[in-house]
C-alpha cells in the first residue's frame, strides 16, 4: 500500500512530499531544512531511497543534495538542468522502483513551462497511476509562472505550460491526485490556488490551461504576472551550484550596546514580534517583520542581499522558527540576535519608540484632507479599487522610494495589516509621523471612504 505525506512550507506557500511504500520512500522537492523530512520518514519507519527535484527552484534553496548525501539516497534531477554537482539525470519516460515490495514506482514525465527542463513524476502502485507530483507545472486551478528563467523565453514557456497541462490531462486517469509544489501562496504561481486538494479530473473541468485555447491562455497568463521577488535571482544559482548544509544553531547574542552599534552602522535590525507589540514599543530604527507573517518572502525581497541582519524576538522559540524560515531563502546566519523586549534591547534610561495604530473607520473619522494616505498593496490589488487621493508605492519598492512619500503624517495601509506594519516601521525608522492602518481593505468602503477603481 502506498502513502503520500505532505510537508507544508506555509511561509513560502509551497509543499514538499514524502511518498512510498512499506519500506522505502522518495522525497519530492525537499526544503533546505531537511530534518522535518527525516522526521516524516522516521514516523513512517521507512528509509529514503530516492530524492527527486521537479526543477531547479527559483523561490527557495533546496535540501535535496544534502538529504541525498545524509541518507545515501539516489538524487534524481532533470537531465537538462544545468547543475554543478553529481546527480542521476532523469529523462522523459524514465522509471525508478521506489519500494519494489509494495510495487511502488515513480515515472518521469517531461512538463516544460515553468522552466525548460521541468519534469513531473507519476507515482504508480502496481502499475496504476495514483498521484502525480507536478512541481511548478499543473497547479490547483492555475500553473506555475513562466517568466522566471529568461524574459525572451517567457511566451515560449507559457505555450509549453499549456501543452504540458494537456499532456498530463490526456495521459492520466481523472482520479489521479495532483500534488504540486507551488500554488499555496508562492510567488512562483501565476495565480493563487483555491483549495488544497485536486485531481486530474477536477483540473480538466476548472483549470484555464485545460479549458481555453492556447492563445487565450497565454495572453491571460502573461497579462496577470506580478513582480518577481528580488531574492529569486539568487535562488536558481544557489541550487544549481549545490547548496551548503544549514546551520540552525542559535546566533550570537547581542546586548543593547551592540544593537545600537549595528543600527548606527546601517545594518538591519529586525523585530519579529507582533505588529501590535511593535507599535506599542520598539527600538528606534528597527524594522518589524512579524515572525507569524511571510517573513522569508518579504524580508528576503526587501533587504539588500548580503546585508547583515540582527533578529529581535520575544522568545528563543520565535527566534528559532524565524531562522528556519530564513535559511530556506538563503539568509543563512543572522549576524546577532536578542530575545525579550525593548527594555532589554535599549540602553538604560532610553525609552522605546512607538506609533499609533488605527482602522479605516478611524481614518474616515479623522478625514483625509491633510494627511498622506499611503497604499502599499501590489499593482494588481490596487487595480481593484483604491482610496481617492492616496499615494501608492508597493511594499517591496518602499525602502528604495521613501523619499517619494509626500510630507505630512502618513496613514499607511495594505489589504489586511501585515504589510502596512512593515511599511510603518520603515517610515518610523526615518523619523516620519506614521499611523498603521491594521484593518481589512473591505472595511474602507464600509467606513465611507471614497474609493476609485481603474
Amino acid at each position: 500500500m502506498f502513502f503520500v505525506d505532505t510537508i507544508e512550507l506555509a511561509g513560502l506557500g509551497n509543499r514538499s512530499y514524502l511518498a512510498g511504500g512499506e519500506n522505502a520512500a522518495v522525497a519530492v522537492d525537499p526544503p533546505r531544512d531537511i530534518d522535518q523530512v527525516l522526521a516524516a520518514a522516521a514516523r513512517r519507519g521507512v528509509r529514503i531511497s530516492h530524492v527527486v527535484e521537479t526543477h531547479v527552484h527559483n523561490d527557495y534553496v533546496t535540501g535535496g543534495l544534502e538529504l541525498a548525501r545524509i541518507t545515501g539516497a539516489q538524487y534524481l534531477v532533470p537531465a537538462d538542468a544545468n547543475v554543478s554537482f553529481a546527480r542521476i539525470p532523469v529523462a522523459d519516460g524514465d522509471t525508478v522502483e521506489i519500494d519494489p515490495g509494495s510495487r511502488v514506482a515513480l515515472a518521469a514525465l517531461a512538463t516544460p513551462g515553468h522552466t525548460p527542463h521541468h519534469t513531473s513524476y507519476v507515482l504508480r502502485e502496481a502499475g496504476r497511476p495514483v498521484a502525480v507530483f507536478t512541481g511548478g507545472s499543473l497547479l490547483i486551478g492555475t500553473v506555475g509562472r513562466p517568466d522566471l528563467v529568461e524574459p525572451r523565453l517567457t511566451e515560449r514557456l507559457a505555450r509549453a505550460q499549456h501543452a504540458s497541462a494537456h499532456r498530463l490531462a490526456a495521459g492520466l486517469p481523472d482520479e489521479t491526485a495532483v500534488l504540486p509544489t507551488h500554488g499555496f501562496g508562492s510567488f512562483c504561481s501565476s495565480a493563487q490556488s483555491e483549495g488544497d486538494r485536486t485531481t486530474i479530473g477536477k483540473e480538466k473541468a476548472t483549470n484555464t490551461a485545460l479549458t481555453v485555447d492556447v492563445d487565450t491562455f497565454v495572453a491571460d497568463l502573461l497579462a496577470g504576472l506580478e513582480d518577481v521577488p528580488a531574492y529569486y535571482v539568487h535562488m536558481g544559482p544557489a541550487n544549481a551550484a549545490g547548496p551548503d548544509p544549514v546551520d540552525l544553531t542559535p546566533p550570537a547574542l547581542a546586548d543593547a550596546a551592540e544593537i545600537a552599534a549595528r543600527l548606527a552602522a546601517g545594518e538591519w535590525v529586525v523585530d519579529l514580534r507582533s505588529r501590535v507589540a511593535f507599535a506599542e514599543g520598539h527600538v528606534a530604527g528597527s524594522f518589524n517583520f512579524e515572525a507569524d507573517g511571510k517573513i522569508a518572502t518579504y524580508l528576503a525581497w526587501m533587504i539588500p542581499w548580503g546585508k547583515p541582519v540582527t533578529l529581535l524576538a520575544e522568545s528563543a522559540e520565535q527566534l528559532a522558527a524565524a531562522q528556519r524560515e530564513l535559511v530556506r531563502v538563503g539568509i543563512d546566519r543572522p549576524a546577532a540576535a536578542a530575545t525579550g523586549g525593548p527594555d532589554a534591547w535599549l540602553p538604560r534610561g532610553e525609552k522605546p519608540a512607538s506609533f499609533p495604530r488605527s482602522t479605516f473607520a478611524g481614518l474616515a473619522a479623522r478625514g483625509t484632507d491633510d494627511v498622506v494616505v499611503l497604499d502599499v498593496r501590489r499593482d494588481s490589488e490596487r487595480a481593484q479599487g483604491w482610496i481617492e487621493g492616496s499615494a501608492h508605492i508597493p511594499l517591496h519598492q518602499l525602502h528604495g522610494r521613501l523619499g517619494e512619500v509626500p510630507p505630512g503624517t502618513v496613514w499607511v495601509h495594505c489589504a489586511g495589516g501585515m504589510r502596512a506594519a512593515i511599511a510603518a516601521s520603515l517610515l518610523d525608522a526615518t523619523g516620519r509621523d506614521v499611523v498603521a492602518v491594521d484593518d481589512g481593505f473591505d472595511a474602507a468602503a464600509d467606513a465611507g471612504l471614497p474609493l476609485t477603481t481603474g
Side-chain angles (χ1 to χ4, degrees):
M1 183 67 181
F2 79 96
F3 73 87
V4 177
D5 289 342
T6 300
I7 299 169
E8 295 279 359
L9 304 174
L12 293 177
N14 283 333
R15 288 178 174 176
S16 295
Y17 301 94
L18 183 74
E22 183 178 352
N23 299 302
V26 56
V28 181
D29 290 344
R32 195 174 183 201
D33 48 325
I34 61 173
D35 54 345
Q36 57 184 323
V37 184
L38 296 170
R43 287 192 295 270
R44 286 284 183 178
V46 297
R47 66 183 179 88
I48 298 175
S49 59
H50 296 78
V51 178
V52 301
E53 305 282 6
T54 57
H55 60 293
V56 175
H57 304 283
N58 288 291
D59 62 329
Y60 69 94
V61 182
T62 181
L65 183 63
E66 180 67 2
L67 182 61
R69 185 188 70 80
I70 286 179
T71 62
Q74 296 184 47
Y75 191 28
L76 279 58
V77 178
D80 291 339
N82 185 16
V83 297
S84 302
F85 49 82
R87 90 287 195 204
I88 298 174
V90 179
D92 184 54
D94 287 351
T95 300
V96 293
E97 298 291 331
I98 301 301
D99 189 352
S102 300
R103 304 181 68 186
V104 175
L106 203 65
L109 191 68
T111 48
H114 187 48
T115 66
H117 61 264
H118 191 284
T119 300
S120 298
Y121 298 91
V122 180
L123 186 70
R124 295 175 176 166
E125 183 185 47
R128 176 178 64 94
V130 292
V132 57
F133 301 103
T134 55
S137 182
L138 188 66
L139 311 185
I140 300 177
T142 185
V143 295
R145 58 194 297 170
D147 60 328
L148 300 180
V149 177
E150 158 63 53
R152 292 172 295 180
L153 296 178
T154 296
E155 182 173 348
R156 186 190 312 172
L157 290 177
R159 292 182 178 277
Q161 279 289 49
H162 189 270
S164 292
H166 280 263
R167 186 183 189 199
L168 288 164
L172 295 169
D174 283 358
E175 64 271 18
T176 307
V178 175
L179 304 174
T181 299
H182 305 312
F184 309 96
S186 168
F187 281 89
C188 267
S189 175
S190 61
Q192 292 312 304
S193 300
E194 295 184 6
D196 63 356
R197 295 188 181 188
T198 193
T199 62
I200 288 291
K202 289 179 181 178
E203 292 309 302
K204 285 164 72 172
T206 61
N207 195 308
T208 56
L210 299 169
T211 59
V212 302
D213 66 88
V214 62
D215 290 333
T216 301
F217 168 78
V218 170
D220 290 346
L221 178 63
L222 299 186
L225 293 173
E226 304 258 17
D227 288 348
V228 177
Y231 69 92
Y232 277 25
V233 70
H234 303 286
M235 301 296 96
N239 287 324
D244 294 329
V246 299
D247 179 3
L248 290 174
T249 59
L253 293 179
D255 59 15
E258 183 177 350
I259 292 169
R262 290 188 176 278
L263 281 169
E267 297 182 10
W268 278 39
V269 174
V270 171
D271 191 325
L272 302 169
R273 296 174 303 145
S274 76
R275 56 186 183 260
V276 175
F278 184 89
E280 290 177 348
H282 56 269
V283 177
S286 63
F287 303 144
N288 181 214
F289 289 80
E290 291 180 301
D292 292 337
K294 295 177 74 71
I295 179 176
T297 294
Y298 283 104
L299 180 55
W301 195 339
M302 297 173 66
I303 190 171
W305 197 253
K307 182 175 280 289
V309 59
T310 294
L311 300 179
L312 306 181
E314 63 184 7
S315 67
E317 292 76 19
Q318 186 180 68
L319 174 61
Q323 277 187 262
R324 182 177 291 273
E325 290 282 343
L326 293 176
V327 297
R328 294 172 180 166
V329 293
I331 300 178
D332 283 10
R333 293 294 296 167
T339 58
D343 289 344
W345 304 333
L346 289 166
R348 186 182 301 275
E350 186 173 321
K351 293 183 178 180
S354 64
F355 55 76
R357 297 165 52 251
S358 191
T359 62
F360 285 109
L363 175 58
R366 167 65 178 77
T368 61
D369 290 343
D370 58 349
V371 299
V372 178
V373 179
L374 176 63
D375 180 350
V376 295
R377 296 174 300 160
R378 296 188 299 276
D379 291 344
S380 61
E381 296 172 285
R382 184 170 171 88
Q384 302 303 310
W386 64 89
I387 297 172
E388 288 184 10
S390 61
H392 178 230
I393 302 176
L395 174 63
H396 60 274
Q397 300 177 11
L398 181 59
H399 188 252
R401 299 176 59 187
L402 288 167
E404 298 178 29
V405 180
T409 299
V410 183
W411 287 62
V412 59
H413 79 85
C414 59
M418 181 195 75
R419 288 173 291 172
I422 298 173
S425 72
L426 297 178
L427 291 159
D428 174 76
T430 67
R432 295 294 299 269
D433 291 330
V434 64
V435 178
V437 178
D438 194 355
D439 204 356
F441 189 70
D442 289 346
D446 295 338
L449 289 164
L451 301 184
T452 297
T453 57

